[in-house]
Amino acid sequence: MRVLCAGDEFVGNNLLADAVRAELPTEPEFRELLLPWPIEPFGPVGGVHEASGTEEQVIEALAGAEVAVTQMAPFTKKVFAAAPELKLVSVCRGGPVNVDLAAATEAGVAVTYAPGRNATAAAEFAIGMILAAMRRISTSSAELLGGTWRGDYYAYPNAGLELEGTTVGLVGYGAIGSRVAKVLVAFGAKVLVADPYAKPEHIAADGAELVELEDLLRRSAVVSLHARLTDETRHLINAERLALLPEGAVLVNSARGGLLDYAPLPEMLRTGRLGALALDVYDVEPPPADWALRDAPNVIATPHLAGASRQTAERAARIVAAEVGRYARGEQLANVANPDVLR
């Protein structure tokens, strides 16, 4: 079997090859392509939304491969047309946004993905962002290192909030949001959830309460976003809904930049209408030099790091390799993004 490992600087080719090797009874013929992400940001390539590298690089590297394992390589209509031997693309992301699924199905190529591969890392990061924003950990650290001792943060009007007894709203309750909820409940927070697709009995069993989105925004001192980005959820938190937040609320987005309308945020922070903002994702990545939030108060910003743990990379490689093993053994694939191709 000829296998293309199209790794990057996070899920490297060594991780992918070792994981695939462990799933197969005989040594496959490996071909490798190293993509520049995350040193260089991903972006749209040939009609897919988030990819790294070029179509020409992938076509050249495939060279008769039957299977490809990747995180970021663009698999477009052009790539599928140039790779008639290809039968499986296994993507180690929560969704195969770097793959043209319609073109894959037309070409008879099964596409799998890796749900939950970064759920633990992303949930832990979100909790860290919530705590950092509520207790001014990052902003006070930056000010101290810059030479300013902010003793006034101990003054009552400026003091932070504890999680215990605080109402925290979670928008989205998938693999990440549900983990965040369990940790928040353990801290003693009251957790509200808005997710039309979540099962109420699961939310109740976790100690949280399912409510409508507008109700969540009105009642929550802290709001953390964990929804997937779709046409339905783009700018889900818009100016109208941001206006529902209580005075001084904390807003955290470590999910997807497109969930949030960023335009109202600088003024909300300057007036104190929004108490703090913690971001790991943006409407444009990386943010431009004239980004309006650069000089807004009480902002924490990190460069899309929520899923960046070594365990995530290792887990992702194992998940895609397991699909290659199932394919090689003629077994049913576990997480197929285009099930019509199997028919």
Side-chain angles (χ1 to χ4, degrees), residues 319-331:
I319 292 172
V320 295
E323 297 285 31
V324 176
R326 294 184 187 100
Y327 168 79
R329 294 186 296 270
E331 298 172 1

Side-chain angles (χ1 to χ4, degrees), residues 15 36 47 89 93 140 142 154 160 194 208 210 220 229 313 322 332 334:
L15 289 178
V89 176
R93 302 176 73 178
S140 61
Y154 221 111
L210 180 64
S220 299
L229 181 60
Q332 182 175 344

Side-chain angles (χ1 to χ4, degrees), residues 68 95 114 125 159 165 173 233 261 328 343:
F125 197 92
Y173 206 73
T233 61
D261 181 1
R343 303 190 185 100

Side-chain angles (χ1 to χ4, degrees), residues 4 98 137 139 157 184 204 239 289:
L4 170 63
N98 54 313
I137 295 170
T139 51
L184 292 172

